[in-house]
Amino acid sequence: MSRTAVIGAGPCGLAQLHAFEQARLDGVDVGEVVCFEKQSDWGGLWNYTWRTGLDSHGDPVHGSMYRYLWSNGPKECLEFSDYPFDEHFGGPIPSFPPREVLYDYIVGRAKKSNVRQFIEFDTAVRQVSFDDATQTFTLAIESWTSGESSFRTETFDYVIVATGHFSVPNVPEYPGFESFPGRILHSHDFRDAVEFAGRDLLILGSSYSAEDIALQSLKYGAASVTIAYRNAPMGFGWPDGIAEVPALQHLDGRTAHFADGSVRDVDAIILCTGYQHHFPFIDPALRLTTTNNLYPGGLYKGVVWTANPKLMYLGMQDQYYTFSMFDAQAFVARDVVLGRLPLPGNDTMAADVAAWLGRYAEVASVMEQIDFQTDYVRDLMTLTDYPAFDLDMVRQHFVTWEHDKDDSITGYRDKSFASPCTGTVGPAPHTTWWDELDDSLARFLKR
Ligand code: FAD
Ligand code: NAP
Ligand code: MG
């Protein structure tokens, strides 16, 4: 009987457990599957924590989500094809739910497939190494299940890494930070915009975190938000109170100086400067090293570690697609373990990776990025029996969504999309996103 370790019980780890369970329900012997989760509960980033800094075990806090976080893409673009939103919520719901609603959906499927029994909570994997002689992995495991820390090792035939890559911040430093008389934090530590009501904020970065934290800070009462970009502005039609300026040069006290010579006095600085793929618990020879991009090298089909195909990684790409892509990847990983998906030799796998990387190097625009990841998911879908969904519709939704954001950065979350699984069209929300301050599930589902 083979033993498989899944590290992490966020959306990817839960997708993996669900995939194995589907095969087991079909009468397949899936061997022993054990999932290790260092937090006390499942859901990964979607399991909101107020904590910043260290968790109760003294580990860096994993959570990067904050209060009042709404989905930034249509929920129809991430729908599980074997567990539609209609099934979970008993009818149609609007297309841009807040965090608690998506958490409920993720957990709903995990409960339905009864996978909690496979997860050891409060258990962190500290080291993953491979023994050539026995062809097995040894995991060093620290567990707090007994209340205090205890260590052990276990051996496995397969390891599936599902630990996410939006938790370890990339923290740059600019001249003058050391004497700035206010708070400087990374978006990883941002929790509640209300803290900045009445304040003049400086945000660094020009991606999703910068966009969303700027908007919600203003929504919850910031006096002004200045966003400094390093390469190119986001260029949205910002509401009054938000302005984009060229790169920060330095700070002089609380006065920020920008590349165009302009200056602003600010009270706090939020570094929306992205995250690192950081896996200190994996031996260097097995460790994925990459920037945040749509095709990390070394992974066949974006999943299988070509240098040692008994090791797999889920969700390591930058993400337009999320939950449905994670599912398609998890079905691939499962079928590798079950021997249903025979892998070609190392050279063939490396050539396949190289072909995708070659194509990725040609990708020049956001629309081409959407097409690239759509084609990647399409390729994954040919490999397993993960139930089909209308990928062309999802692709079109992403294109429409990008145009909606250009039309109105405060209004795009009020739009409705059709499900690629059931065809159901999300109803309009009862309150526009810009006017809605309550992010609770109860409020969202109220008719
Ligand atoms: P995670 O959700 O990060 O889960 C990884 C799990 O692994 C965690 O539970 C962690 O505790 C555990 N773990 C880590 N290391 C170890 C270890 N050594 N041992 C044991 N356990 C370990 N996606 C969307 O689709 N829509 C959104 O609106 C959206 N908003 C986002 C907002 C923010 C601020 C961020 C940062 C991301 C957002 N995402 C969004 C993307 C997000 O990456 C995915 O939705 C999803 O959470 C990724 O799942 P994952 O399982 O790969 O990783
Ligand atoms: P990201 O997409 O990786 O973007 C990182 C940004 O940091 C880039 O704009 C980059 O600038 C900038 N940057 C890096 N180093 C810098 C430096 N030294 N100085 C100035 N700028 C620097 O990371 P992210 O925006 O945190 O997004 C991470 C994930 O969270 C995404 O999946 C996103 O969808 C998700 N998210 C979702 C929501 C939501 O509303 N649901 C909110 C926030 C985040 P360049 O562009 O110049 O390289
Ligand atoms: Mg951009």
Side-chain angles (χ1 to χ4, degrees):
M1 190 174 75
S2 74
R3 297 195 83 217
T4 302
V6 178
I7 312 177
C12 282
L14 293 175
Q16 191 61 66
L17 298 178
H18 173 75
F20 276 115
E21 207 45 19
Q22 295 309 105
R24 203 187 57 77
L25 290 172
D26 286 342
V28 177
D29 178 3
V30 302
E32 189 187 353
V33 179
V34 187
C35 177
F36 301 107
E37 169 53 60
K38 69 178 185 177
Q39 300 189 68
S40 305
D41 209 346
W42 55 11
L45 292 170
W46 296 93
N47 172 24
Y48 174 77
T49 176
W50 61 269
R51 287 178 182 276
T52 58
L54 301 182
D55 67 17
S56 57
H57 306 308
D59 264 24
V61 164
H62 186 83
S64 295
M65 286 203 181
Y66 39 84
R67 295 186 67 187
Y68 329 124
L69 182 134
W70 268 259
S71 176
N72 60 350
K75 75 181 197 301
E76 288 77 9
C77 289
L78 54 73
E79 193 164 10
F80 299 128
S81 72
D82 61 6
Y83 189 68
F85 280 99
D86 281 354
E87 178 179 342
H88 182 75
F89 289 102
I93 64 166
S95 289
F96 289 83
R99 183 200 53 77
E100 191 182 349
V101 173
L102 285 180
Y103 175 75
D104 197 67
Y105 175 62
I106 298 163
V107 166
R109 190 181 69 167
K111 285 180 180 163
K112 186 186 173 199
S113 56
N114 198 23
V115 297
R116 202 174 169 97
Q117 56 181 315
F118 303 113
I119 307 171
E120 272 192 46
F121 292 100
D122 295 301
T123 303
V125 174
R126 296 299 189 204
Q127 195 184 12
V128 177
S129 54
F130 187 72
D131 182 345
D132 281 319
T134 60
Q135 292 289 300
T136 57
F137 295 92
T138 300
L139 270 56
I141 296 158
E142 182 177 11
S143 174
W144 295 272
T145 45
S146 66
E148 43 192 59
S149 159
S150 69
F151 281 88
R152 67 178 196 273
T153 60
E154 285 193 33
T155 57
F156 290 90
D157 302 293
Y158 295 91
V159 172
I160 299 169
V161 181
T163 54
H165 56 91
F166 292 126
S167 286
V168 177
N170 167 49
V171 183
E173 185 174 350
Y174 284 75
F177 270 18
E178 68 280 1
S179 49
F180 179 69
R183 186 154 174 233
I184 304 177
L185 66 154
H186 188 275
S187 54
H188 170 65
D189 296 320
F190 177 85
R191 290 291 179 271
D192 192 328
V194 171
E195 174 184 355
F196 301 104
R199 300 305 179 93
D200 294 303
L201 271 182
L202 171 61
I203 286 181
L204 303 191
S206 47
S207 186
Y208 298 100
S209 292
E211 170 200 317
D212 193 59
I213 291 175
L215 284 170
Q216 76 147 292
S217 295
L218 190 71
K219 184 172 156 181
Y220 289 87
S224 76
V225 184
T226 305
I227 310 173
Y229 58 86
R230 178 173 67 167
N231 289 312
M234 291 176 273
F236 295 116
W238 300 107
D240 287 348
I242 298 181
E244 276 190 280
V245 299
L248 177 68
Q249 300 297 97
H250 68 277
L251 285 140
D252 184 6
R254 60 183 287 253
T255 308
H257 295 253
F258 303 104
D260 60 355
S262 63
V263 295
R264 290 263 183 143
D265 285 353
V266 295
D267 299 309
I269 303 173
I270 306 179
L271 307 174
C272 297
T273 46
Y275 294 88
Q276 307 175 44
H277 285 66
H278 187 66
F279 313 111
F281 57 94
I282 303 177
D283 267 11
L286 304 171
R287 188 186 298 162
L288 175 68
T289 308
T290 180
T291 58
N292 187 27
N293 71 70
L294 294 181
Y295 215 91
L299 295 177
Y300 177 63
K301 301 299 174 194
V303 174
V304 181
W305 184 244
T306 49
N308 183 338
K310 292 176 141 194
L311 175 67
M312 287 169 273
Y313 286 88
L314 302 180
M316 291 299 152
Q317 299 70 14
D318 199 7
Q319 297 155 8
Y320 285 91
Y321 289 80
T322 54
F323 305 162
S324 52
M325 177 173 78
F326 303 159
D327 270 8
Q329 293 180 330
F331 271 58
V332 166
R334 178 199 70 187
D335 285 357
V336 169
V337 170
L338 297 182
R340 286 178 172 183
L341 185 65
L343 294 173
N346 276 49
D347 290 351
T348 309
M349 289 196 283
D352 188 76
V353 172
W356 279 99
L357 287 174
R359 183 175 159 195
Y360 185 42
E362 303 296 312
V363 168
S365 66
V366 165
M367 295 305 165
E368 287 173 16
Q369 289 183 4
I370 291 168
D371 285 342
F372 180 86
Q373 194 155 66
T374 301
D375 287 348
Y376 166 64
V377 175
R378 200 188 303 282
D379 186 39
L380 287 177
M381 296 290 294
T382 63
L383 302 174
T384 73
D385 63 355
Y386 182 63
F389 58 100
D390 190 342
L391 257 177
D392 293 317
M393 181 191 273
V394 177
R395 177 199 168 272
Q396 186 54 50
H397 285 349
F398 278 123
V399 170
T400 303
W401 167 74
E402 290 286 357
H403 290 306
D404 287 348
K405 290 178 73 173
D406 286 338
D407 288 348
S408 172
I409 196 63
T410 54
Y412 79 90
R413 283 180 166 113
D414 304 327
K415 300 284 184 179
S416 294
F417 291 83
S419 162
C421 308
T422 60
T424 300
V425 178
H430 52 65
T431 307
T432 60
W433 175 76
W434 189 250
D435 292 313
E436 181 61 272
L437 297 177
D438 181 344
D439 66 345
S440 69
L441 176 142
R443 167 79 185 162
F444 184 75
L445 295 182
K446 208 177 111 193
R447 307 227 170 221

